[in-house]
Amino acid sequence: MTDVSQTKLALVTGASRGLGFAMAAALAEKGWHVLATARTVGGLEELDDRIQAAGGSATLAPMDITDDKAMAHLAGSIAERWGRLDLWVHAAIHAAPLSPAGHLDPKDFDKSVACNLRATASLIPMLEPLLRATQGTALFLDDPRGGEKFFASYGATKAAQIALARSWQAECEKIGPRILIETPRAMATATRARFYPGEDRTVLADIHDEATRLLACL
Protein backbone atom coordinates (compact mmCIF):
# COMPACT_ATOMS: atom_id res chain seq x y z
CA MET A 1 0.00 0.00 0.00
CA THR A 2 1.08 3.58 -0.63
CA ASP A 3 2.58 5.42 2.36
CA VAL A 4 0.03 8.11 3.06
CA SER A 5 1.01 9.02 6.60
CA GLN A 6 0.86 12.73 5.72
CA THR A 7 -2.05 12.47 3.28
CA LYS A 8 -5.77 12.58 3.92
CA LEU A 9 -7.35 9.13 3.67
CA ALA A 10 -10.79 8.52 2.16
CA LEU A 11 -12.78 5.30 1.91
CA VAL A 12 -15.33 5.26 -0.90
CA THR A 13 -17.76 2.35 -0.81
CA GLY A 14 -19.40 1.77 -4.19
CA ALA A 15 -16.51 3.34 -6.10
CA SER A 16 -16.67 1.39 -9.36
CA ARG A 17 -19.40 3.36 -11.12
CA GLY A 18 -21.68 6.38 -11.04
CA LEU A 19 -21.32 9.02 -8.36
CA GLY A 20 -19.07 6.82 -6.20
CA PHE A 21 -16.61 6.58 -9.11
CA ALA A 22 -16.73 10.32 -9.65
CA MET A 23 -16.30 11.11 -5.95
CA ALA A 24 -13.28 8.80 -5.70
CA ALA A 25 -11.68 10.36 -8.78
CA ALA A 26 -12.33 13.90 -7.52
CA LEU A 27 -10.89 13.17 -4.08
CA ALA A 28 -7.73 11.69 -5.59
CA GLU A 29 -7.39 14.74 -7.83
CA LYS A 30 -7.50 16.92 -4.71
CA GLY A 31 -4.63 14.97 -3.15
CA TRP A 32 -6.48 12.42 -1.04
CA HIS A 33 -5.38 8.80 -0.99
CA VAL A 34 -8.50 6.85 -1.90
CA LEU A 35 -9.41 3.40 -0.65
CA ALA A 36 -11.87 2.33 -3.35
CA THR A 37 -14.26 -0.51 -2.56
CA ALA A 38 -16.73 -2.22 -4.90
CA ARG A 39 -17.60 -5.63 -6.29
CA THR A 40 -16.85 -4.74 -9.92
CA VAL A 41 -13.14 -5.25 -10.49
CA GLY A 42 -13.21 -3.77 -14.00
CA GLY A 43 -14.76 -0.56 -12.72
CA LEU A 44 -12.17 -0.25 -9.98
CA GLU A 45 -9.36 -0.78 -12.47
CA GLU A 46 -10.81 1.92 -14.71
CA LEU A 47 -10.95 4.22 -11.69
CA ASP A 48 -7.35 3.45 -10.81
CA ASP A 49 -6.24 4.19 -14.38
CA ARG A 50 -7.99 7.57 -14.20
CA ILE A 51 -6.48 8.39 -10.82
CA GLN A 52 -2.97 7.33 -11.82
CA ALA A 53 -3.17 9.34 -15.06
CA ALA A 54 -4.03 12.43 -13.00
CA GLY A 55 -1.10 11.84 -10.65
CA GLY A 56 -3.20 10.63 -7.72
CA SER A 57 -3.03 7.51 -5.60
CA ALA A 58 -5.52 4.82 -4.70
CA THR A 59 -5.74 1.42 -3.07
CA LEU A 60 -8.28 -0.92 -4.65
CA ALA A 61 -10.33 -3.20 -2.41
CA PRO A 62 -12.56 -5.39 -4.59
CA MET A 63 -15.08 -6.79 -2.14
CA ASP A 64 -18.77 -6.97 -1.36
CA ILE A 65 -19.87 -4.62 1.41
CA THR A 66 -22.47 -7.19 2.50
CA ASP A 67 -19.62 -9.54 3.46
CA ASP A 68 -19.08 -8.63 7.12
CA LYS A 69 -15.84 -10.62 7.42
CA ALA A 70 -14.30 -8.95 4.37
CA MET A 71 -15.27 -5.48 5.54
CA ALA A 72 -14.05 -6.17 9.08
CA HIS A 73 -10.73 -7.27 7.59
CA LEU A 74 -10.57 -4.04 5.58
CA ALA A 75 -11.34 -1.93 8.66
CA GLY A 76 -8.69 -3.83 10.61
CA SER A 77 -6.14 -3.29 7.85
CA ILE A 78 -6.87 0.46 7.84
CA ALA A 79 -6.48 0.55 11.63
CA GLU A 80 -3.20 -1.37 11.53
CA ARG A 81 -1.72 0.61 8.65
CA TRP A 82 -2.96 4.13 9.37
CA GLY A 83 -4.94 4.10 12.60
CA ARG A 84 -7.43 6.58 11.20
CA LEU A 85 -9.85 7.48 8.45
CA ASP A 86 -10.49 11.08 7.43
CA LEU A 87 -13.52 10.50 5.22
CA TRP A 88 -16.01 7.77 4.39
CA VAL A 89 -18.20 8.31 1.32
CA HIS A 90 -20.96 5.72 1.30
CA ALA A 91 -22.11 5.46 -2.31
CA ALA A 92 -22.78 1.71 -2.53
CA ILE A 93 -26.38 0.88 -3.36
CA HIS A 94 -28.52 -1.95 -4.68
CA ALA A 95 -31.13 -0.48 -7.00
CA ALA A 96 -33.75 -3.18 -7.42
CA PRO A 97 -35.95 -3.09 -10.54
CA LEU A 98 -39.07 -1.00 -10.12
CA SER A 99 -42.09 -3.05 -9.13
CA PRO A 100 -45.53 -2.61 -7.60
CA ALA A 101 -45.45 -3.31 -3.87
CA GLY A 102 -47.91 -6.12 -4.44
CA HIS A 103 -45.50 -7.90 -6.77
CA LEU A 104 -42.13 -7.54 -5.02
CA ASP A 105 -39.48 -10.11 -5.85
CA PRO A 106 -38.32 -11.46 -2.46
CA LYS A 107 -34.77 -11.99 -3.73
CA ASP A 108 -34.50 -8.41 -4.95
CA PHE A 109 -35.96 -7.12 -1.71
CA ASP A 110 -33.53 -9.17 0.37
CA LYS A 111 -30.60 -7.85 -1.72
CA SER A 112 -31.86 -4.31 -1.14
CA VAL A 113 -32.05 -4.85 2.62
CA ALA A 114 -28.61 -6.51 2.70
CA CYS A 115 -26.81 -3.79 0.74
CA ASN A 116 -28.70 -0.62 1.53
CA LEU A 117 -29.48 -1.21 5.21
CA ARG A 118 -27.77 -4.23 6.78
CA ALA A 119 -24.32 -3.43 5.38
CA THR A 120 -24.61 0.19 6.51
CA ALA A 121 -25.53 -0.95 10.00
CA SER A 122 -22.43 -3.17 10.04
CA LEU A 123 -20.05 -0.59 8.61
CA ILE A 124 -20.90 2.22 11.03
CA PRO A 125 -19.49 0.49 14.15
CA MET A 126 -16.51 -0.79 12.15
CA LEU A 127 -15.55 2.65 10.85
CA GLU A 128 -16.63 4.94 13.69
CA PRO A 129 -13.43 4.46 15.76
CA LEU A 130 -11.27 5.18 12.69
CA LEU A 131 -13.23 8.33 11.87
CA ARG A 132 -13.29 9.49 15.47
CA ALA A 133 -9.50 9.12 15.69
CA THR A 134 -9.10 12.10 13.38
CA GLN A 135 -12.53 13.75 13.83
CA GLY A 136 -13.28 12.69 10.30
CA THR A 137 -16.45 12.84 8.24
CA ALA A 138 -18.93 10.29 6.94
CA LEU A 139 -20.94 11.36 3.90
CA PHE A 140 -24.26 9.70 3.06
CA LEU A 141 -26.11 10.35 -0.18
CA ASP A 142 -29.86 10.67 0.22
CA ASP A 143 -32.39 9.77 -2.47
CA PRO A 144 -35.81 10.70 -1.06
CA ARG A 145 -38.02 8.48 -3.20
CA GLY A 146 -39.34 6.34 -0.37
CA GLY A 147 -43.10 6.09 -0.69
CA GLU A 148 -43.19 6.80 -4.42
CA LYS A 149 -45.03 4.27 -6.54
CA PHE A 150 -42.97 1.32 -7.80
CA PHE A 151 -40.01 2.26 -5.56
CA ALA A 152 -40.93 -0.08 -2.71
CA SER A 153 -37.66 -2.07 -2.51
CA TYR A 154 -35.21 0.69 -3.30
CA GLY A 155 -37.13 3.57 -1.73
CA ALA A 156 -37.91 1.82 1.55
CA THR A 157 -34.40 0.51 2.13
CA LYS A 158 -32.71 3.75 1.10
CA ALA A 159 -35.01 5.69 3.44
CA ALA A 160 -34.14 3.27 6.24
CA GLN A 161 -30.42 3.76 5.53
CA ILE A 162 -30.77 7.52 5.84
CA ALA A 163 -32.83 7.17 9.02
CA LEU A 164 -29.96 5.13 10.46
CA ALA A 165 -27.48 7.79 9.35
CA ARG A 166 -29.57 10.53 10.97
CA SER A 167 -29.58 8.66 14.28
CA TRP A 168 -25.79 8.34 14.07
CA GLN A 169 -25.55 12.02 13.16
CA ALA A 170 -27.54 13.06 16.23
CA GLU A 171 -25.50 10.81 18.51
CA CYS A 172 -22.20 12.18 17.22
CA GLU A 173 -23.11 15.87 17.15
CA LYS A 174 -20.99 16.72 20.21
CA ILE A 175 -18.35 13.98 20.16
CA GLY A 176 -17.75 13.31 16.47
CA PRO A 177 -17.25 12.09 13.89
CA ARG A 178 -19.12 14.54 11.67
CA ILE A 179 -21.97 12.93 9.74
CA LEU A 180 -23.16 14.68 6.58
CA ILE A 181 -26.26 13.76 4.59
CA GLU A 182 -26.53 15.39 1.19
CA THR A 183 -29.01 14.95 -1.65
CA PRO A 184 -27.40 14.71 -5.11
CA ARG A 185 -29.15 16.27 -8.06
CA ALA A 186 -30.65 14.02 -10.74
CA MET A 187 -27.69 12.63 -12.68
CA ALA A 188 -27.16 10.79 -15.94
CA THR A 189 -26.25 7.46 -14.37
CA ALA A 190 -26.95 3.89 -15.47
CA THR A 191 -29.13 3.41 -12.38
CA ARG A 192 -31.35 6.36 -13.28
CA ALA A 193 -31.58 5.10 -16.87
CA ARG A 194 -33.06 1.86 -15.54
CA PHE A 195 -35.55 3.79 -13.44
CA TYR A 196 -36.53 6.27 -16.16
CA PRO A 197 -35.91 4.76 -19.61
CA GLY A 198 -36.38 7.22 -22.43
CA GLU A 199 -35.80 10.25 -20.19
CA ASP A 200 -34.10 13.28 -21.75
CA ARG A 201 -30.62 12.87 -20.24
CA THR A 202 -29.33 16.19 -21.56
CA VAL A 203 -31.02 18.00 -18.68
CA LEU A 204 -29.43 15.79 -16.03
CA ALA A 205 -26.33 16.67 -14.01
CA ASP A 206 -22.94 15.24 -14.95
CA ILE A 207 -21.60 12.89 -12.26
CA HIS A 208 -18.22 14.62 -12.14
CA ASP A 209 -19.78 18.07 -11.78
CA GLU A 210 -21.98 16.72 -9.01
CA ALA A 211 -19.01 15.14 -7.24
CA THR A 212 -17.27 18.52 -7.21
CA ARG A 213 -20.38 20.20 -5.80
CA LEU A 214 -20.81 17.62 -3.04
CA LEU A 215 -17.16 17.66 -2.03
CA ALA A 216 -17.46 21.41 -1.49
CA CYS A 217 -19.76 20.53 1.42
CA LEU A 218 -16.95 18.80 3.32
Side-chain angles (χ1 to χ4, degrees):
M1 289 186 178
T2 304
D3 181 7
V4 294
S5 58
Q6 303 301 317
T7 303
K8 289 185 177 181
L9 186 65
L11 171 66
V12 181
T13 42
S16 65
R17 63 185 67 182
L19 185 57
F21 181 103
M23 294 283 279
L27 284 163
E29 186 175 338
K30 290 179 178 293
W32 293 66
H33 181 76
V34 177
L35 299 169
T37 301
R39 291 182 301 173
T40 309
V41 175
L44 289 177
E45 291 176 343
E46 181 182 345
L47 172 66
D48 191 49
D49 289 343
R50 182 186 181 103
I51 289 174
Q52 296 291 339
S57 65
T59 298
L60 306 185
M63 57 185 63
D64 188 336
I65 66 164
T66 67
D67 184 337
D68 285 351
K69 289 183 178 179
M71 297 310 295
H73 178 74
L74 176 63
S77 297
I78 295 171
E80 182 178 356
R81 178 71 179 182
W82 296 294
R84 62 179 171 84
L85 188 62
D86 298 292
L87 175 64
W88 170 31
V89 177
H90 191 34
I93 198 73
H94 177 70
L98 300 188
S99 170
H103 297 276
L104 287 181
D105 183 319
K107 291 184 178 179
D108 270 329
F109 188 77
D110 288 346
K111 287 181 181 178
S112 299
V113 172
C115 181
N116 303 346
L117 182 57
R118 174 67 173 78
T120 305
S122 296
L123 285 168
I124 287 174
M126 290 180 193
L127 299 178
E128 183 182 67
L130 294 168
L131 290 164
R132 188 165 289 163
T134 186
Q135 286 302 300
T137 298
L139 173 61
F140 290 85
L141 304 169
D142 195 6
D143 189 350
R145 282 184 277 194
E148 291 187 12
K149 61 182 181 181
F150 309 125
F151 277 94
S153 285
Y154 172 72
T157 54
K158 185 62 176 176
Q161 179 195 88
I162 297 303
L164 177 60
R166 292 195 187 284
S167 291
W168 190 29
Q169 182 182 55
E171 294 154 6
C172 295
E173 184 176 359
K174 294 182 179 180
I175 60 174
R178 182 175 62 152
I179 314 302
L180 296 181
I181 301 169
E182 300 293 338
T183 303
R185 294 175 296 186
M187 296 170 290
T189 62
T191 296
R192 187 174 178 90
R194 293 200 303 273
F195 287 161
Y196 302 106
E199 180 182 36
D200 179 6
R201 294 171 68 82
T202 63
V203 300
L204 301 177
D206 176 79
I207 57 172
H208 298 287
D209 292 341
E210 191 62 4
T212 298
R213 185 185 74 83
L214 291 169
L215 289 178
C217 299
L218 297 179

